Amino acid sequence: LFAMTMATPSQAASGPVHISFVKGGWFIGGQAGSGTLRFKGRTYRLGIGGVSFGLTFGGSETELVGTVTHIRRASDVAGVYSAVGAGATVGAGARMITLANHNGAILRVHGRTAGLALDLDLSGLAISIK
């Protein structure tokens, strides 16, 4: 018996994202910002927030672009993200990182950070749909 399966619109999809936020702190840090998700022909506004504990010193402004995958609807992008693997710094201030949330959304972004800040990762990044 031979069976052929075809992708259906209800299966997981992806969309481009743009995120910008400021981050600062002294041991306990915070971040706030905004962004957009383009998904199935529509643009959704995103709210960015989060608190980090541990090695956080200084402040920075970050612009990231990339793709969110494994989403079935725009609301799947919402949630608190944790790092998948390690983040990397590429050159002067350029970053690449992969994050995942409890909905199974995978966020792969890259971009630049400006400012004086030292922190270990973007775990705890919270994204909401506005």
Side-chain angles (χ1 to χ4, degrees):
L1 217 192
F2 177 77
M4 184 173 169
T5 60
M6 296 184 65
T8 64
S10 65
Q11 290 179 323
S14 64
V17 294
H18 173 264
I19 298 170
S20 61
F21 59 89
V22 293
K23 186 172 191 172
W26 185 259
F27 288 101
I28 297 173
Q31 54 204 15
S34 62
T36 57
L37 163 67
R38 185 96 174 128
F39 186 67
K40 294 187 177 181
R42 292 187 59 196
T43 299
Y44 298 87
R45 292 181 340 136
L46 304 175
I48 310 298
V51 175
S52 59
F53 300 95
L55 188 56
T56 301
F57 297 101
S60 65
E61 183 173 339
T62 301
E63 292 279 335
L64 301 172
V65 294
T67 304
V68 63
T69 59
H70 299 89
I71 58 174
R72 295 189 191 301
R73 55 193 166 276
S75 61
D76 288 345
V77 75
V80 176
Y81 284 78
S82 58
V84 175
T89 300
V90 181
R95 296 185 62 145
M96 293 187 313
I97 192 162
T98 301
L99 303 163
N101 74 7
H102 66 281
N103 294 323
I106 305 293
L107 183 62
R108 289 183 180 89
V109 292
H110 62 276
R112 295 194 129 342
T113 299
L116 179 58
L118 169 62
D119 75 33
L120 293 177
D121 61 42
L122 291 179
S123 290
L125 179 74
I127 296 179
S128 61
I129 299 275
K130 289 186 175 181

